[in-house]
Amino acid sequence: MVLSAVDTAHLRDALQVAVVKCSERCLYQSAKWAAELLDALPESRPSSTEGDAFGHVSKDEESEMVMGPQDLGYIVNKQLLFVSRYLEKWFAEHRNEDGEISGTQGFLEYLYGSVLAKEKNGPAALEYLMLSIHAFPWNWGAWQEITNLIFRLEQLNEIAPHLPQNIMSFMFHLNAAVHLYQQDQTLSASLNDLLAIFPTSSFLLTCKALLAYHSKDLIGAEQDFSNLLSLHPFRLDALDHYSNILSGQNPAS
């Protein structure tokens, strides 16, 4: 997958917009993810807008939200019931006769889908999350919520034809397949195509290391994790797997 200079410029613009829009809506993890991709584009230089967004994310990403990173399922968020009922009413009022929703940019769908997922209403959650990624595909949090609703490869294959046709769908499919412990040549080729666009992406390099780890290529996985840490020394995602590899190479005597 090779992008022209024009396509690369459009991609850079879209990611810059995503950083700002997600940050403005307190979606700091999504803003950070988009910013990391933006930084991984070759010859990219942070603009003043991007720099402001980075600072905003760093300052506020630990702020308390209606649904924050600490909402892991065993913590009861007393605001969820109110949010759920309000959004249920809002969407009912804004659907036309054809079932289409007006007056939204995809973020309310994401919020409602996330709440429905917390309520263990998977089918309804998936419906609204799909609406969200079609309205605004650059919110990585929505794609992650969909990934969390997929437990089998058949489910992934079932929704694949209904995804928006853009680079985020490739990112999602790769991430979901890795979480389902899939390994095949098509997946590796897709990863290499994405790395050609974002050669230093910590997300993609982590996926590469995990693919090697899941395929029992521990030497390759160790090299991939080592390369990842050399480029991103403060990256913590999936380092438990790297620790397992190192422990296996250096068993206690």
Side-chain angles (χ1 to χ4, degrees), residues 4-18:
S4 67
V6 173
D7 290 336
T8 300
H10 289 164
L11 178 58
R12 181 175 291 113
D13 289 344
L15 288 170
Q16 288 175 336
V17 170

Side-chain angles (χ1 to χ4, degrees), residues 5-252:
V6 173
D7 290 336
T8 300
H10 289 164
L11 178 58
R12 181 175 291 113
D13 289 344
L15 288 170
Q16 288 175 336
V17 170
V19 171
V20 174
K21 284 192 173 183
C22 290
S23 183
E24 287 175 343
R25 291 162 175 82
C26 300
L27 303 176
Y28 300 121
Q29 293 303 314
S30 292
K32 180 181 177 182
W33 190 87
E36 288 179 348
L37 271 190
L38 183 60
D39 188 58
L41 275 173
E43 300 181 5
S44 65
R45 295 291 183 271
S47 65
S48 59
T49 301
E50 180 189 345
D52 292 342
F54 262 118
H56 191 55
V57 170
S58 300
K59 181 178 69 175
D60 295 332
E61 63 183 352
E62 299 300 328
S63 299
E64 189 69 25
M65 294 171 279
V66 172
M67 295 185 66
Q70 63 268 46
D71 287 323
L72 301 178
Y74 51 81
I75 298 176
V76 177
N77 190 326
K78 297 179 181 179
Q79 300 178 70
L80 289 186
L81 181 60
F82 168 77
V83 172
S84 178
R85 298 298 175 264
Y86 177 85
L87 289 175
E88 180 182 14
K89 180 180 178 182
W90 191 94
F91 281 112
E93 293 174 348
H94 287 76
R95 281 187 183 274
N96 59 28
E97 295 179 354
D98 297 325
E100 298 177 346
I101 302 169
S102 60
T104 180
Q105 299 178 343
F107 294 102
L108 285 180
E109 289 90 339
Y110 165 61
L111 177 58
Y112 193 29
S114 300
V115 171
L116 289 168
K118 291 289 184 183
E119 295 178 342
K120 309 301 181 184
N121 190 345
L126 183 59
E127 175 189 353
Y128 279 92
L129 290 167
M130 291 289 285
L131 290 173
S132 175
I133 61 174
H134 276 276
F136 185 75
W138 302 101
N139 175 16
W140 182 243
W143 296 94
Q144 285 185 306
E145 289 287 354
I146 295 175
T147 300
N148 293 336
L149 295 172
I150 296 175
F151 305 101
R152 301 186 309 276
L153 182 61
E154 292 77 12
Q155 290 176 290
L156 178 59
N157 292 335
E158 183 178 341
I159 70 169
H162 306 289
L163 298 174
Q165 298 302 304
N166 55 44
I167 198 169
M168 294 296 287
S169 292
F170 287 95
M171 293 281 191
F172 160 76
H173 193 276
L174 172 65
N175 185 55
V178 168
H179 278 77
L180 293 172
Y181 300 95
Q182 299 299 304
Q183 311 110 31
D184 57 51
Q185 293 300 318
T186 301
L187 195 60
S188 297
S190 178
L191 173 59
N192 289 332
D193 285 343
L194 290 169
L195 279 170
I197 301 172
F198 306 102
T200 61
S201 165
S202 56
F203 166 75
L204 293 175
L205 292 174
T206 300
C207 287
K208 182 180 180 182
L210 288 176
L211 281 176
Y213 181 81
H214 293 161
S215 64
K216 310 301 182 183
D217 179 9
L218 299 186
I219 295 178
E222 191 277 332
Q223 293 173 343
D224 290 335
F225 275 118
S226 179
N227 178 52
L228 171 64
L229 287 177
S230 69
L231 294 172
H232 307 280
F234 301 106
R235 181 79 172 184
L236 299 178
D237 293 15
L239 286 191
D240 54 329
H241 298 294
Y242 188 36
S243 177
N244 291 338
I245 295 171
L246 296 179
S247 298
Q249 292 177 345
N250 301 282

